[in-house]
Amino acid sequence: MQQRVLDVLEFGKIKEQLKLHASSSLAKEKVDELFPSKTLEEVNQWQAETDEARTVLRLKGHAPLGGLKDVRAHVKRAKIGGVLSPNELIETASTLYASRQMKHFIEEMVEEEEVHLPYLAEYVGQITILTDEEKTIKRCIDDNGEVLDSASEALRSIRASKRSTEAKVREKLESIIRSSSAQKMLSDAVVTIRNDRYVIPVKQEYRGAYGGIVHDQSSSGATLFIEPQSVVDLNNSLNQIRVKEKQEIERILAELSAMVSEHGDSIVHNVLMMKEIDFMFTKARYAKSIKASKPTMNNEGIIKLFEARHPLLKEEEVVANDIVLGEEFTSIVITGPNTGGKTVTLKTIGLFTLMAQSGLQVPAQDGSVMSVFDAVYADIGDEQSIEQSLSTFSSHMVNIVDILKRVDYRSLVLFDELGAGTDPQEGAALAISILDEVLNRGARVVATTHYPELKAYGYNREGVINASVEFDIQTLSPTYKLLIGVPGRSNAFEISKRLGLKSDVIERAKSLIAEDHNEVDSMIASLEDSKKKAEIEYKEAQTIRKEAEQLHKELQKQIIEFNEKRDRLYEEAERKAAEKVEESKQEAEQIIRELRKLQKNQHALIKDHELIDAKKRLETAIPQFEKSTKKANAVKKNAAKTLQAGDEVKVISLNQKGHLVEKVNDSEWQVQIGILKMKVKEKDLEYISRPKPVEEKPLATIKGKDYHVSLELDLRGERYENALLRVEKYLDDAMLAGYPKVNIIHGKGTGALRQGVREYLKNHRSVKSMRFGDVSEGGNGVTVVELK
């Protein structure tokens, strides 16, 4: 990758944004070193690492990286015999703490959450826990870098003596400044310090009153800072104690530095592992901030981007686009007027490629595909060079010549306004020739141009497709929506007309243009309209397909549950049957044994009544099975009660409750179960209840005798205020219809509509109780309301 291309595509700005999400200077160092890889295996590993960190953030919301410092220089100095400062030692202890926290965090997550995190587990597996060393440093030094009394017994004793001596000095000096003469001879009644010795401020004219040593004087010379003779010895003692304190602190720091040196290799290795981990989470946090997803990587030159958004544009301004390249066609020629967004599209493709090959996720929808290229070449922007006396055209050609020397089948080439800056005919011819050359090399190409001659290029070359950026004639502004398969048109006549140019001038201009050009423009306009309609219909079809898939899954789940229940019932029935047969077999054997005994004892003189009695006992030994009563009961209930539309029934085979909608034929009913409607045999239905008949009221007659109130109210897509009005009206209608229970479908969505509807239902006068629907009824997307 050429540095010039990285600069043109603004990869440096991506790295600056990435740095904002780093937890330490270590990750920032990795960002500075970041460079796109040309190896698919390495890119896949980098992408997997980013995705692992993203998984951790999704499940836990954070990663414990606080306190991590780059202490490699501290360790290096300790290893050559240097004594580390308290701040350097506390940074080392803080890094040991961060390493320990991260190791425990990942290990616990893998164990408790059962999440597969191979790269993170490998990194933390190489971290050495040095808890004793960490605690030793923190016992000796506080977070502000001050050596604590607890660092050693000697230091504790020295500081106790120091505090005692300081108290004596201050007490002596305070007695002096409180004396009756002090007010006249002192400039101020305070004790201060000069040259590490306690002094008092004495007026110049009374310098001989206290004797002792003069350590300083004020800027005017009117005040002298004198150490009175009476405290000189105490100050001398205090200084000696301070020297001992300093020596003891140096000894403690040397001892701690030696400990760091002893474990230096392990500490440095911990830092390197934490550097990789911090960088992983830096990429993950950046991906989250730009709403990016992990692309599937390949080395076949295939790019598929769904709703791709340029990461450097403001979120409220950027337009998402679908971009496909490398399968049906290997080159895209984007035509159309300037300022339409062609260059942004070009940069988006190039920048996404650099990001993906650097292990960064791209701001596009899940399922996007990116390719690994050996090189990305770009000729973008106005590169007029005053220093080299080159025109815009010449400067572009110098760049293009260099690209043609290097390009091959493993390259991605981006041309912006190819052939611009010279005679239109010559420029268009040159652009076509350059594109042919790059295509023959097998490279992937995306080029923008405003030459109309290149519109035909996409139709005359295999593997090339036209594209354009949509322009809204009504607003006279580009929509920045990429239309692949539709060449661009100038829109000059439409824009001029909207701006107020006279119709006769426009018509005269049209007459000067060849008829075939007008036909092409009409064809392009038709293509644009057709593509818009196709996109709308495609989105609608996608929505319907997703809903159908969800319904299919729910039905499959219900069928599986039904089959499992049926199998369990069969197994239970077989077990009971086997038990009955075994009991009967044993009973028969017992009877036979008794017959044989009778025959033996009575020498075959068995009386008739004894044989008849034995025969009866054998007959009773035949197993008798209890017949299933569910369907029998259902038949009895249904026979006793003629089923009607609106009746609440139970579907025996599914063990689900529903309402009868209408009778299909003599033996089948259409049944509403939650959001599902299905045909069910009448013998598989069990009558439960019937809505109470509604008394004739004037209010009800307004709607007419044939008015039908549905058993469900669908609020999906409604605004909050309209939804509540519909709920209120619907509940009144349901009460008038005498329904004991109704379903209100609010969908899942963001949950705002669902929450609002349920809050309203809690306080409604007609609501007895409510619950979310079962899986078969629509789950959390439906509230089942029982009416009073």
Side-chain angles (χ1 to χ4, degrees):
M1 301 288 178
Q2 297 174 325
Q3 185 59 46
R4 191 191 65 80
V5 174
L6 299 182
D7 294 339
V8 166
L9 296 176
E10 300 178 289
F11 186 61
K13 291 184 179 179
I14 296 294
K15 289 169 70 170
E16 289 302 315
Q17 286 187 352
L18 191 58
K19 280 184 182 179
L20 299 176
H21 299 274
S23 296
S24 70
S25 61
L26 292 164
K28 291 178 181 178
E29 185 179 307
K30 284 284 292 183
V31 173
D32 288 334
E33 297 166 355
L34 186 61
F35 197 80
S37 171
K38 296 188 290 185
T39 309
L40 178 61
E41 183 179 357
E42 188 173 37
V43 170
N44 279 331
Q45 178 182 331
W46 290 356
Q47 285 288 349
E49 288 180 351
T50 306
D51 198 50
E52 269 189 32
R54 190 89 188 266
T55 299
V56 172
L57 293 180
R58 187 179 69 251
L59 294 175
K60 294 293 187 179
H62 76 290
L65 286 161
L68 181 61
K69 305 290 182 184
D70 185 3
V71 297
R72 288 174 293 181
H74 306 345
V75 174
K76 183 177 180 181
R77 199 151 58 82
K79 291 185 76 171
I80 60 174
V83 177
L84 302 183
S85 70
N87 283 326
E88 290 171 334
L89 286 165
I90 205 66
E91 284 184 359
T92 304
S94 178
T95 300
L96 293 177
Y97 170 78
S99 304
R100 176 166 59 86
Q101 289 289 99
M102 179 57 71
K103 185 180 180 75
H104 291 161
F105 177 77
I106 297 300
E107 288 177 348
E108 285 177 7
M109 189 170 178
V110 170
E111 183 178 348
E112 294 175 5
E113 303 279 348
E114 296 182 356
V115 184
H116 187 54
L117 305 171
Y119 292 106
L120 282 169
E122 181 182 349
Y123 287 138
V124 300
Q126 298 183 48
I127 290 176
T128 304
I129 300 296
L130 299 169
T131 308
D132 292 341
E133 289 71 18
E134 172 200 333
K135 289 183 177 179
T136 298
I137 295 174
K138 289 188 174 180
R139 177 177 56 81
C140 296
I141 305 170
D142 66 14
D143 292 339
N144 297 319
E146 295 293 331
V147 180
L148 299 169
D149 294 358
S150 57
S152 71
E153 286 299 323
L155 185 59
R156 181 182 281 108
S157 175
I158 290 169
R159 285 186 171 168
S161 177
K162 175 184 171 184
R163 285 190 288 271
S164 175
T165 306
E166 284 178 338
K168 290 178 182 178
V169 173
R170 294 188 71 89
E171 185 181 353
K172 191 78 173 174
L173 291 175
E174 285 174 359
S175 67
I176 292 174
I177 64 176
R178 285 198 301 267
S179 66
S180 57
S181 59
Q183 187 175 0
K184 181 176 69 171
M185 292 186 287
L186 300 181
S187 299
D188 198 0
V190 295
V191 177
T192 186
I193 297 174
R194 291 293 187 274
N195 302 324
D196 290 333
R197 298 177 78 88
Y198 286 96
V199 296
I200 56 176
V202 180
K203 294 178 181 178
Q204 172 71 31
E205 56 270 27
Y206 299 106
R207 62 177 300 174
Y210 296 99
I213 305 166
V214 177
H215 287 279
D216 198 2
Q217 68 177 11
S218 65
S219 57
S220 63
T223 302
L224 302 176
F225 294 95
I226 296 175
E227 178 186 0
Q229 187 62 46
S230 57
V231 297
V232 170
D233 291 339
L234 284 173
N235 269 331
N236 288 339
S237 300
L238 186 58
N239 278 347
Q240 290 174 1
I241 294 170
R242 285 175 178 158
V243 170
K244 289 180 182 179
E245 179 189 28
K246 184 178 179 182
Q247 290 172 346
E248 180 61 16
I249 288 173
E250 288 176 353
R251 185 195 67 78
I252 292 166
L253 295 178
E255 191 175 287
L256 294 175
S257 299
M259 181 183 71
V260 170
S261 174
E262 182 182 350
H263 299 282
D265 293 339
S266 296
I267 295 172
V268 169
H269 191 69
N270 286 358
V271 169
L272 294 176
M273 293 302 100
M274 290 297 290
K275 181 180 182 181
E276 296 296 331
I277 292 170
D278 190 7
F279 183 54
M280 286 173 63
F281 281 104
T282 299
K283 293 188 291 181
R285 281 188 288 266
Y286 178 60
K288 183 180 179 182
S289 72
I290 61 172
K291 299 177 183 176
S293 65
K294 177 189 175 186
T296 301
M297 303 302 301
N298 67 86
N299 56 5
E300 299 166 6
I302 298 172
I303 295 174
K304 292 181 182 177
L305 295 172
F306 305 112
E307 296 188 23
R309 308 174 307 279
H310 195 291
L312 297 178
L313 296 178
K314 293 180 180 178
E315 187 176 352
E316 61 272 15
E317 295 177 0
V318 69
V319 175
N321 275 308
D322 294 345
I323 303 169
V324 181
L325 177 68
E327 284 186 328
E328 297 179 9
F329 44 88
T330 60
S331 178
I332 301 175
V333 178
I334 307 174
T335 54
N338 292 331
T339 69
K342 302 194 300 294
T343 304
V344 171
T345 302
L346 208 65
K347 286 187 173 183
T348 299
I349 297 170
L351 189 55
F352 272 40
T353 299
L354 299 180
M355 290 174 68
Q357 291 185 215
S358 301
L360 302 177
Q361 295 185 353
V362 295
Q365 291 295 323
D366 288 335
S368 293
V369 177
M370 293 298 299
S371 181
V372 176
F373 295 99
D374 284 349
V376 176
Y377 299 108
D379 179 57
I380 298 174
D382 185 359
E383 300 188 11
Q384 184 174 12
S385 174
I386 297 174
E387 292 83 357
Q388 299 178 24
S389 300
L390 295 175
S391 66
T392 301
F393 176 75
S394 300
S395 180
H396 279 296
M397 285 312 302
V398 168
N399 193 19
I400 291 170
V401 168
D402 183 60
I403 291 172
L404 294 179
K405 287 179 183 177
R406 304 168 185 267
V407 70
D408 61 16
Y409 72 98
R410 294 274 296 151
S411 303
L412 172 65
V413 184
L414 308 171
F415 290 124
D416 187 30
E417 295 297 348
L418 185 60
T422 187
D423 177 78
Q425 282 191 328
E426 292 182 359
L430 198 57
I432 291 171
S433 180
I434 291 169
L435 284 174
D436 282 341
E437 177 66 21
V438 177
L439 283 172
N440 291 336
R441 305 267 188 98
R444 300 293 183 264
V445 186
V446 183
T448 69
T449 179
H450 59 269
Y451 289 136
E453 289 85 353
L454 266 75
K455 295 176 185 177
Y457 183 81
Y459 298 109
N460 299 333
R461 303 293 194 281
E462 185 178 352
V464 182
I465 194 166
N466 281 318
S468 61
V469 181
E470 188 179 58
F471 190 90
D472 191 337
I473 298 299
Q474 301 301 318
T475 61
L476 299 180
S477 61
T479 66
Y480 304 106
K481 190 72 177 175
L482 182 67
L483 304 174
I484 293 180
V486 180
R489 55 196 180 109
S490 67
N491 300 308
F493 294 145
E494 288 86 350
I495 293 171
S496 300
K497 185 177 180 180
R498 291 280 297 171
L499 293 174
L501 190 64
K502 291 181 179 179
S503 299
D504 57 339
V505 176
I506 294 173
E507 291 302 322
R508 196 180 310 125
K510 285 183 178 180
S511 67
L512 298 175
I513 293 180
E515 186 177 344
D516 58 348
H517 180 85
N518 287 326
E519 288 177 356
V520 168
D521 258 12
S522 298
M523 178 193 70
I524 292 171
S526 176
L527 278 173
E528 287 180 356
D529 291 340
S530 299
K531 190 170 181 66
K532 283 181 186 177
K533 291 176 182 176
E535 284 180 352
I536 293 169
E537 290 174 0
Y538 174 75
K539 287 179 180 177
E540 290 176 352
Q542 286 286 86
T543 303
I544 295 170
R545 180 182 63 80
K546 288 178 181 177
E547 290 177 355
E549 285 177 354
Q550 182 63 29
L551 187 60
H552 180 66
K553 287 178 183 176
E554 290 178 358
L555 286 172
Q556 277 187 324
K557 185 179 178 182
Q558 289 182 11
I559 291 168
I560 291 168
E561 289 175 352
F562 168 72
N563 289 335
E564 288 176 350
K565 186 174 181 180
R566 182 194 61 191
D567 293 342
R568 285 197 302 271
L569 290 172
Y570 280 153
E571 289 172 4
E572 182 68 16
E574 288 173 359
R575 184 183 63 78
K576 288 182 177 179
E579 289 176 357
K580 286 277 188 183
V581 169
E582 184 64 28
E583 288 174 7
S584 301
K585 184 178 177 183
Q586 291 176 3
E587 180 70 19
E589 289 176 353
Q590 178 65 26
I591 294 168
I592 292 169
R593 280 196 297 272
E594 289 179 2
L595 284 171
R596 285 176 179 170
K597 187 177 178 182
L598 285 170
Q599 187 180 23
K600 183 178 179 182
N601 292 341
Q602 299 182 21
H603 305 289
L605 299 175
I606 305 171
K607 295 179 180 178
D608 289 342
H609 74 275
E610 291 175 332
L611 282 171
I612 293 168
D613 184 53
K615 185 179 179 182
K616 285 182 179 178
R617 290 174 62 194
L618 275 171
E619 287 175 354
T620 58
I622 297 171
Q624 299 294 323
F625 298 106
E626 293 179 5
K627 294 184 178 179
S628 175
T629 59
K630 284 188 177 179
K631 290 195 177 181
N633 291 339
V635 171
K636 287 179 185 177
K637 283 189 178 182
N638 293 341
K641 199 87 172 177
T642 304
L643 296 177
Q644 294 180 5
D647 286 354
E648 185 177 13
V649 295
K650 180 178 181 181
V651 181
I652 299 167
S653 59
L654 296 178
N655 194 26
Q656 293 288 336
K657 293 181 181 179
H659 288 84
L660 297 180
V661 179
E662 61 181 355
K663 194 162 187 177
V664 181
N665 51 49
D666 291 341
S667 61
E668 284 185 321
W669 282 86
Q670 187 179 51
V671 183
Q672 176 92 30
I673 303 176
I675 62 172
L676 301 177
K677 287 184 180 178
M678 59 179 66
K679 293 180 182 178
V680 181
K681 298 282 185 184
E682 186 170 310
K683 63 183 180 181
D684 195 22
L685 298 174
E686 179 181 334
Y687 173 83
I688 296 176
S689 66
R690 179 169 296 162
K692 295 176 182 178
V694 185
E695 295 180 7
E696 292 280 338
K697 294 182 181 179
L699 183 63
T701 60
I702 295 171
K703 297 173 180 176
K705 63 180 181 179
D706 296 328
Y707 179 75
H708 173 67
V709 181
S710 173
L711 289 166
E712 64 184 28
L713 173 64
D714 193 342
L715 298 174
R716 289 175 292 184
E718 285 282 358
R719 295 178 63 85
Y720 178 75
E721 296 81 3
N722 292 341
L724 294 187
L725 291 173
R726 287 191 62 194
V727 170
E728 183 178 15
K729 180 177 179 300
Y730 175 71
L731 291 178
D732 290 342
D733 291 345
M735 287 293 292
L736 288 173
Y739 290 166
K741 183 166 60 178
V742 293
N743 295 344
I744 295 181
I745 305 171
H746 41 61
K748 296 175 184 177
T750 62
L753 180 58
R754 176 180 60 195
Q755 182 67 26
V757 169
R758 288 181 68 83
E759 286 295 328
Y760 176 77
L761 291 173
K762 283 180 185 177
N763 303 313
H764 197 280
R765 62 189 179 279
S766 303
V767 175
K768 182 178 180 183
S769 65
M770 63 179 178
R771 61 175 175 83
F772 282 123
D774 297 332
V775 175
S776 62
E777 295 175 321
N780 291 348
V782 174
T783 294
V784 180
V785 182
E786 187 176 349
L787 301 175
K788 293 179 180 178

